[in-house]
Amino acid sequence: MVPDIGRGSRTHGLLVYLYGPGRREEHTDAHLVGSWDGFAPDPGRDTSPDPDPKVTLARLTAALDLRVKQVGDRAPAQHVWHCSVRTAPGDRRFSDEEWNSIAQRIVHATGIAPDGDPDGCRWIAVRHADDHIHIVATLVRGDLRNPRLNYDFNKAQAECRRIEKEMGLRRLNAGDGTAAKNPTSAEKFKAERTGRTETSRETLREAVRQALAGADDENEFFTRLREAGLRVKVRHAPSGDALGYNVALPGDRNRHGEPVWYPGSKLAPDLSLPKIRLRLADGTVEQEARSAAGRADWSPPARERRGATGTVERAAVLLDGNGDDEEAAAQLVGVGELLDTVAQTSPAATRAELAAAARAFERATRSHVRAEHADTRALRSAARGIIRAGGALGRGEDGGTTAMLLSTLVLVTLAAARWHSARGHAQQAHASRQTAEHLRAAYRQAAAAPMRALHDQGRALPEAQRRTHEVTLRAVLPEQSVGAGGMPAKTDALVATLAQVEQAGHDPEALLRQAIDMRELDTATDVNDVLVWRLRRIAQLPAHPGEAARRQQAGTRSTKTSTSRTSERNIPAVAPRPAVSDPRNRPPRR
């Protein structure tokens, strides 16, 4: 059950909407299911001899606004309190009497109209659909004082959790006050009216996160915001120091034609300028000299992704360990930053899933565990390297190292889900699991070509060589990874990788044991894929073996041609050969 609370200043306008047809004719049979005294006039069920819905609506507005008119200028500027309460998909349909009971519990819990208080605020509950009601109250009590509504949303959430438990409804995850502010109803309606798929607040939140990802300092952060096309307004103290910032979308204006500005703190709790400064100070990337490992013929995006994979592995180990919670929380922030950079630089085929993963994991980066003083240099440096390397094309080594990184990111997000679950962070754990699903979808797309090439190479190996590596797999792989026939399924890619590990001069069995011991494999959807990427990273093998083979063949052809030409130039003079009858058999002229 989901409550959504807002404030307004026009009682009559809200009632017109609630009793009207809706924006897409979705409102049906609008009527009251409850009110402050049980006798409020109902425009939807007027039983008078000559009913007129407009007149009844005006009477209902006057009744709700009675105390507001009595206090005059002392009334709150936004005196209309509006709370919609919606059941989850799959919940049973409630009767009007049940909705009335729910409305009474909500207004009691929030302080709108406490039970037994004759001076509570006037309120009504309107139903115009099967799955939700709208509670409307005016914020002046019978004693002409304002109600105390501190933390009304949190109180409504807590009451909804109790209602779910008592009425056998679908149990939703409880919030902890660290989530980003949801868009208001007005923002949602404006986005719908202007044809946008999301509200300005959501678009700006993602844009600010992406500008912050891997930024070196405050100036670079503001520069990135402007380069992203946002309007930026920085608030300065008399000394010239920046105090805060506001952002707006070009063309997003209010009724007066002015830009609609959003402070960073209203986009998300961790996007205020003081919080951003803490992150930049704690993880200044230039303080850590980091060079991505890789061969000179690999592209910069490929080298940076390969280096980031090792950093993510270490973050997963920290999350799985029993170390300091502050350090673990910092790793989550760093992983979120890395996801933002990967989403920005990913090829078109995986961009949508990776953007969805970054948006989902944003919720997992915030909890009541503080990470302000923990070290995030390694992850921030990896994020910065990916941004500086530019976009990956998704082919060849680019695509292979993207798959390598995504495979590890799946495991680190599952480690994040376990870490949050162990600390009772239900929403963050759910967000981490959602992220893992998006990453899995992106991984399948990125890994298709390199895994197909490895599979073909494994099938093409001589039978004796295959059997040797299969014996190694049988001896080393964990029991749960081995199928009923004694061998894990789909081992061709892993066998091919072991053969290439041996060809590179490594001990296949020793390296396989090292890859298995790096961290657990229980959460891996495909153990073989995880081990393939770990082995290729440890042994410094190309992530896309098909591309490597193509280059090797091209290099071999080039070498043969060059050798042939060099040999021809260096052939010493020899005695003339006997003449032959067929001109085609004559030696070439020098």
Side-chain angles (χ1 to χ4, degrees):
M1 180 171 285
V2 182
D4 187 9
I5 295 176
R7 300 281 183 93
S9 57
R10 297 176 60 245
T11 309
H12 186 264
L14 177 57
L15 293 180
V16 167
Y17 168 72
L18 295 179
Y19 277 95
R23 287 174 170 78
R24 295 178 298 274
E25 303 295 328
E26 71 272 23
H27 296 175
T28 58
D29 188 23
H31 61 281
L32 291 183
V33 294
S35 66
W36 73 93
D37 61 357
F39 297 103
D42 184 359
R45 299 284 173 88
D46 191 346
T47 58
S48 61
D50 189 16
D52 186 340
K54 291 184 179 179
V55 172
T56 309
L57 194 66
R59 288 174 51 215
L60 179 59
T61 303
L64 283 169
D65 278 345
L66 175 64
R67 294 164 178 170
V68 177
K69 302 294 185 185
Q70 288 174 340
V71 297
D73 294 341
R74 292 189 292 113
Q78 292 191 309
H79 66 271
V80 181
W81 186 87
H82 174 212
C83 175
S84 63
V85 185
R86 186 181 302 272
T87 55
D91 283 341
R92 65 181 179 84
R93 178 179 176 179
F94 289 157
S95 65
D96 285 354
E97 291 73 19
E98 288 174 314
W99 275 123
N100 180 30
S101 174
I102 290 169
Q104 290 182 20
R105 292 181 63 165
I106 296 293
V107 296
H108 166 73
T110 55
I112 293 291
D115 289 346
D117 183 356
D119 289 327
C121 297
R122 293 193 167 194
W123 63 273
I124 59 170
V126 179
R127 181 180 187 180
H128 55 208
D130 288 342
D131 63 346
H132 70 278
I133 59 169
H134 293 263
I135 305 172
V136 180
T138 47
L139 300 180
V140 179
R141 290 169 43 84
D143 53 14
L144 304 187
R145 293 187 292 115
N146 297 336
R148 291 185 176 182
L149 296 180
N150 295 335
Y151 307 106
D152 55 342
F153 178 75
N154 292 344
K155 293 173 181 176
Q157 284 270 21
E159 189 62 29
C160 284
R161 301 294 83 77
R162 287 188 285 269
I163 292 170
E164 289 166 356
K165 183 177 181 180
E166 294 172 17
M167 302 186 74
L169 306 178
R170 177 182 168 188
R171 305 283 293 277
L172 301 182
N173 294 326
D176 60 2
T178 61
K181 182 176 173 59
N182 287 325
T184 64
S185 298
E187 290 170 346
K188 294 176 183 176
F189 294 147
K190 184 177 182 180
E192 183 179 335
R193 188 172 65 251
T194 56
R196 295 180 59 86
T197 57
E198 60 183 9
T199 64
S200 297
R201 185 188 301 274
E202 292 167 311
T203 301
L204 289 168
R205 181 187 303 142
E206 185 168 0
V208 171
R209 273 200 347 261
Q210 291 182 349
L212 179 58
D216 184 29
D217 55 28
E218 198 173 307
N219 290 333
E220 183 178 349
F221 166 63
F222 286 129
T223 299
R224 285 189 186 179
L225 286 178
R226 294 186 178 96
E227 288 176 348
L230 304 186
R231 301 180 63 131
V232 182
K233 182 169 62 177
V234 182
R235 302 190 304 277
H236 293 281
S239 63
D241 295 333
L243 296 175
Y245 72 98
N246 295 58
V247 288
L249 286 178
D252 185 19
R253 299 182 178 274
N254 59 21
R255 67 180 68 180
H256 305 297
E258 301 164 339
V260 181
W261 295 101
Y262 290 85
S265 60
K266 297 299 183 184
L267 297 176
D270 55 347
L271 294 182
S272 66
L273 187 56
K275 293 289 182 68
I276 286 173
R277 281 174 173 160
L278 283 172
R279 190 190 298 190
L280 293 173
D282 291 341
T284 304
V285 291
E286 293 302 331
Q287 292 179 2
E288 177 171 313
R290 173 186 169 274
S291 60
R295 291 181 354 196
D297 60 338
W298 293 344
S299 68
R303 288 199 301 272
E304 293 297 339
R305 278 162 168 71
R306 184 180 285 266
T309 303
T311 306
V312 172
E313 271 289 0
R314 292 189 287 276
V317 172
L318 282 169
L319 288 169
D320 278 334
N322 297 317
D324 182 70
D325 275 4
E326 269 194 11
E327 181 63 33
Q331 298 305 306
L332 294 173
V333 173
V335 169
E337 224 173 292
L338 190 62
L339 277 170
D340 280 324
T341 62
V342 174
Q344 290 179 69
T345 58
S346 63
T350 55
R351 193 173 301 149
E353 289 291 351
L354 289 175
R359 281 194 297 270
F361 199 73
E362 183 255 355
R363 181 68 189 96
T365 62
R366 290 191 305 275
S367 69
H368 286 300
V369 178
R370 301 293 181 180
E372 278 90 345
H373 304 293
D375 189 354
T376 58
R377 278 192 298 253
L379 283 162
R380 295 206 70 244
S381 180
R384 185 168 180 77
I386 286 175
I387 284 289
R388 283 186 163 181
L393 297 176
R395 300 188 295 270
E397 191 67 13
D398 275 7
T401 50
T402 296
M404 180 185 289
L405 177 57
L406 295 183
S407 172
T408 310
L409 282 169
V410 170
L411 296 181
V412 80
T413 52
L414 293 175
R418 290 193 297 274
W419 187 86
H420 280 305
S421 294
R423 287 151 185 81
H425 306 161
Q427 289 188 351
Q428 292 89 334
H430 177 66
S432 300
R433 288 188 287 269
Q434 278 187 317
T435 305
E437 290 307 308
H438 288 299
L439 288 172
R440 281 188 177 118
Y443 168 77
R444 286 192 291 270
Q445 178 71 32
M451 279 297 174
R452 185 164 55 247
L454 276 172
H455 174 82
D456 293 343
Q457 290 177 7
R459 295 289 296 272
L461 286 174
E463 187 63 27
Q465 194 176 3
R466 276 188 61 86
R467 286 179 182 173
T468 299
H469 294 306
E470 285 176 354
V471 168
T472 301
L473 291 177
R474 222 179 265 114
V476 177
L477 275 181
E479 273 188 39
Q480 60 269 30
S481 304
V482 180
M487 274 301 298
K490 301 185 296 183
T491 58
D492 293 325
L494 189 51
V495 166
T497 298
L498 287 175
Q500 292 165 20
V501 163
E502 186 175 43
Q503 188 178 6
H506 301 283
D507 180 347
E509 182 173 340
L511 219 62
L512 181 59
R513 291 187 187 277
Q514 182 183 340
I516 291 170
D517 292 340
M518 285 175 69
R519 62 183 302 271
E520 56 80 27
L521 293 166
D522 296 339
T523 54
T525 303
D526 193 318
V527 172
N528 297 305
D529 280 24
V530 173
L531 291 177
V532 162
W533 297 123
R534 287 184 187 175
L535 285 167
R536 302 194 78 80
R537 185 167 61 82
I538 297 169
Q540 286 292 292
L541 298 174
H544 196 298
E547 181 73 8
R550 185 188 65 77
R551 289 186 180 183
Q552 186 177 7
Q553 289 172 2
T556 302
R557 286 195 299 269
S558 175
T559 302
K560 285 181 178 179
T561 304
S562 175
T563 303
S564 174
R565 289 175 180 169
T566 303
S567 299
E568 287 179 2
R569 286 196 301 268
N570 296 330
I571 292 176
V574 293
R577 296 182 182 178
V580 288
S581 58
D582 191 342
R584 290 174 298 181
N585 294 330
R586 293 174 183 170
R589 295 182 181 271
R590 296 292 190 267

